[in-house]
Structure formats: structure tokens, C-alpha cells
Amino acid sequence: MTELISASTAQKAALTPATTSTPVVITEQQVRFATAAAIPLPRKTVTRRLSDALTAVAQSVHDVFVTPTADKPIRHDKPSRLAYLEHSAMSREMGRL
């Protein structure tokens, strides 16, 4: 049993590539990009939040009191039937029968 364990560890060691530690140089732009992803967005100011709340209230009142005018019916476009293809399509369907 110990032979199997030692053989499997030897196989794993043979399969893993030898890593060499080479220095990695990153640019200043890459540092800024990584830092920008980690920094949270700035908070909204009080006036901006108040404005958003008033806009939401106004939209709700508008939705309650204004009725939709003449909703357009859903248009179902019919597939176009090209006259010059009708004969060939019918011939193909008859051939399948």
C-alpha cells in the first residue's frame, strides 16, 4: 500500500511543472486600474438623494392620475409571400408527399 502512495506522489511531482520565480513588473496604469476597481463609488449628496426621491414621487403621482391614451394594438406582421416563390414552394411540398 505504501508503494502506491509513494508512486502517486512521485507521479504528481513529475506532472507539476517546476516554477521559477521571475520578477513581474506592472505599470502604473495597471496599479491605478486595480485600485479604482477596489475603491467604492462616491456617495450621493443629500440634494441628489432628495431630488431622486421627489422625482420618484412625481412619477408615481403621474402614473396614478394620467390614464394611457389609446394604447396601440400589438402589430403582428404577416410573413411576406413572394409570388415568384409560391410555385417552387408548392412544388417542393408536393414532392415531399
Side-chain angles (χ1 to χ4, degrees):
M1 189 66 154
T2 57
E3 295 85 19
L4 293 175
I5 294 172
S6 63
S8 65
T9 56
Q11 288 175 350
K12 287 180 184 177
L15 293 177
T16 56
T19 57
T20 59
S21 60
T22 57
V24 177
V25 180
I26 60 173
T27 63
E28 184 178 342
Q29 183 180 8
Q30 289 172 326
V31 172
R32 286 183 184 167
F33 183 72
T35 306
I39 296 175
L41 295 173
R43 294 179 55 131
K44 291 183 178 179
T45 62
V46 174
T47 54
R48 180 65 182 180
R49 284 186 276 164
L50 181 62
S51 172
D52 289 345
L54 288 175
T55 301
V57 169
Q59 185 63 42
S60 298
V61 170
H62 180 269
D63 291 343
V64 168
F65 291 110
V66 176
T67 59
T69 57
D71 288 336
K72 293 181 181 179
I74 298 173
R75 182 177 171 191
H76 298 285
D77 290 332
K78 296 180 181 176
S80 61
R81 292 284 193 150
L82 303 174
Y84 58 90
L85 291 178
E86 283 294 319
H87 181 68
S88 62
M90 183 61 73
S91 174
R92 192 169 37 253
E93 289 298 320
M94 294 309 240
R96 290 180 185 164
L97 294 175

